Amino acid sequence: MNVLGIETSCDECSVAVVADGKTILSNIVATQVERHAPWNGVVPEIASRLHVEWIEEVTQQALDTAGVSLEEGVDAIAVTCRPGLIGSLLVGLSYGKGLAWSAGKPWVGVDHMMAHLHAPRLEYDIAYPYLGLIVSGGHTILCRVDSLHEVTVMGTTIDDACGEAFDKVAKFYDMGYPGGVALDKLAEQGDDSAFRFPQPRLHKGNHIYDVSYSGLKTAAVNQLEQFRQEGKEASLENIAASFRKAAIDMLVKKVKKAAADTGIHTVVAGGGVSANRYLRKVISEDPDLESYFPSMALCTDNGAMIAALGYHQIMAGERSEWNLNARARVSGFRRAYP
Ligand code: KG4
Ligand code: ZN
């Protein structure tokens, strides 16, 4: 069964064709990065307008590359419906509905975060249960995954998302855009013991698996003057390396605690931050953990992961209603303090 997957939740306009939820026949990702770079961040209005301009061409390319036509070679359509930028989501969702209606195909709305979590399953056969670590620009989720449809959120961020903190620190120091990628690259040349940033204390009650990035971000921005006065060399590389270590160590600590508490030692990562070199290194080298990371192309936003998860939803008999709406947020994926 061939599923056409449409992803427009943020700044990547992506359409893919995936066979049987596993074989990627095409995965076209048209990135808007250059169009948002002058603002050092994603401008929602620009993002949704570009999706409107690009979606048809990207879809045609996905069909052509896969060597199929919508009428003959596509059996179902899957489209991201939540969470994300509302205007961007609405473009893909409306377009997907239009395609499904005009071609008379079954279709389903897909949750973007669950699709990130599912992405490594395109490349690996992974036995349940496992711990899921979904780290992106808008979310930081540690969960227990018992089956495709049984995902229990154990911890989230109580303020900024991990990728958001990378982006904000990179923006403050003018490290480049997109921030997370630029900071990660600079960090490779830096000394990660140059600065010691504070770690949050979230050890109690509902928060034992939660993380917090707002204090670390503020420290990385504000403590620098103090460090300079102490005579420390505040090179961009050293700031990047020290920040990256603090941000990722915080996550890894929670993953290890979850592994110890649940007895589940398999970790499956997804989302843009799962491309981070230090995160990949620390988790994959940990003798206590067996880990699966998506290849780089499947870490960040892409239509293939939407098509793959959509396939399983369709196979389970799920069909979405025409009045399905886009949702910017999903309760439970982010937590407010306390
Ligand atoms: O999953 P994604 O493409 O979009 C969202 O769903 O948000 O993730 C984008 C986020 C951005 O915050 C970006 O800075 C971050 O992932 N990111 C990274 C790296 N590559 C992307 N953060 C740290 N290190 C990286 N190598
Ligand atoms: Zn994403």
Side-chain angles (χ1 to χ4, degrees):
M1 175 192 267
N2 288 344
V3 177
L4 181 90
I6 302 173
E7 158 60 41
T8 64
S9 69
C10 191
D11 60 341
E12 316 285 8
C13 188
S14 180
V15 181
V17 181
V18 174
D20 301 326
K22 196 82 181 177
T23 310
I24 300 174
L25 303 181
S26 65
N27 187 23
I28 308 296
V29 182
T31 182
Q32 303 179 355
V33 160
E34 276 182 24
R35 308 292 280 269
H36 298 283
W39 287 269
N40 246 320
V42 177
V43 183
E45 182 64 22
I46 294 176
S48 50
R49 281 170 186 252
L50 288 175
H51 285 311
V52 171
E53 285 175 27
W54 293 1
I55 187 79
E56 192 158 7
E57 169 76 25
V58 173
T59 303
Q60 196 55 53
Q61 274 187 37
L63 291 167
D64 291 348
T65 306
V68 297
S69 70
L70 177 66
E71 294 73 20
E72 305 291 323
V74 171
D75 301 294
I77 292 167
V79 51
T80 308
C81 63
R82 66 182 202 184
L85 299 173
I86 196 70
S88 293
L89 284 167
L90 280 169
V91 176
L93 182 57
S94 307
Y95 188 77
K97 282 181 189 177
L99 281 186
W101 184 80
S102 64
K105 307 284 178 186
W107 74 283
V108 280
V110 173
D111 183 295
H112 181 85
M113 304 318 294
M114 291 301 109
H116 271 309
L117 179 64
H118 187 77
R121 300 188 71 88
L122 273 158
E123 300 173 301
Y124 306 101
D125 292 319
I126 313 168
Y128 295 110
Y130 50 78
L131 297 171
L133 180 65
I134 325 171
V135 266
S136 71
H139 293 83
T140 309
I141 302 169
L142 177 60
C143 53
R144 178 191 165 117
V145 187
D146 285 285
S147 73
L148 193 70
H149 303 286
E150 289 171 280
V151 177
T152 313
V153 175
M154 298 175 73
T156 71
T157 175
I158 61 164
D159 39 55
D160 291 352
C162 185
E164 189 181 355
F166 270 82
D167 292 338
K168 285 179 176 168
V169 170
K171 184 175 180 174
F172 183 84
Y173 288 108
D174 217 1
M175 290 175 174
Y177 181 83
V181 183
L183 193 153
D184 190 22
K185 207 166 156 195
L186 275 172
E188 292 291 305
Q189 264 78 53
D191 169 9
D192 65 11
S193 64
F195 307 109
R196 192 169 296 257
F197 293 122
Q199 291 275 329
R201 297 178 162 271
L202 289 162
H203 303 315
K204 289 192 188 146
N206 286 339
H207 293 300
I208 51 173
Y209 304 113
D210 282 349
V211 289
S212 160
Y213 281 105
S214 134
L216 172 61
K217 175 195 68 190
T218 309
V221 166
N222 291 339
Q223 279 188 357
L224 218 66
E225 199 43 43
Q226 185 189 327
F227 288 136
R228 284 203 179 104
Q229 283 166 12
E230 290 166 10
K232 293 189 181 164
E233 194 208 335
S235 69
L236 280 190
E237 288 80 1
N238 285 356
I239 297 167
S242 305
F243 169 82
R244 181 177 73 167
K245 178 170 167 48
I248 299 300
D249 283 353
M250 189 193 317
L251 270 182
V252 174
K253 213 155 94 184
K254 298 293 176 167
V255 170
K256 287 185 68 76
K257 172 154 183 55
D261 292 350
T262 59
I264 300 170
H265 294 268
T266 306
V267 181
V268 177
V273 185
S274 64
N276 188 270
R277 287 167 243 213
Y278 179 69
L279 174 69
R280 293 174 90 98
K281 182 173 183 303
V282 176
I283 291 206
S284 61
E285 285 177 1
D286 192 310
D288 199 34
L289 303 172
E290 184 191 351
S291 58
Y292 296 90
F293 283 85
S295 59
M296 289 298 177
L298 294 181
C299 284
T300 44
D301 295 347
N302 65 87
M305 66 182 188
I306 305 300
L309 183 54
Y311 163 82
H312 290 285
Q313 292 176 222
I314 291 277
M315 291 305 279
E318 188 182 329
R319 301 288 183 274
S320 289
E321 302 287 338
W322 294 114
N323 65 359
L324 177 73
N325 209 345
R327 278 166 58 191
R329 288 190 180 79
V330 176
S331 63
F333 282 178
R334 288 199 78 152
R335 220 193 288 275
Y337 191 79

